[in-house]
Amino acid sequence: MPQYDFLQTYTLKNGATLKNRVAMAPMTTKSSYYNGALTDDEIRYYSMRSGAAGSAC
């Protein structure tokens, strides 16, 4: 299989390292509180989807 640059680890300017450059686009689930604080449901939603594309190393 050919090696692609976007599949290599990548370090952001703030020091966070991603395992690749594939990322899940930010989106709303309208699950947070009116002030923007996260609910358990929203944390669970993103936790279930964060194990592959661009997740932190």
Side-chain angles (χ1 to χ4, degrees), residues 5-47:
D5 288 340
F6 69 90
L7 295 176
Q8 302 303 312
T9 58
Y10 184 75
T11 302
L12 302 173
K13 289 181 181 180
N14 68 0
T17 300
L18 305 176
K19 77 177 178 182
N20 58 53
R21 295 181 189 196
V22 179
M24 187 168 91
M27 63 186 102
T28 182
T29 61
K30 298 186 181 189
S31 310
S32 39
Y33 294 111
Y34 69 93
N35 64 358
L38 297 175
T39 62
D40 290 338
D41 288 340
E42 194 163 25
I43 292 169
R44 198 169 20 259
Y45 175 85
Y46 284 105
S47 294

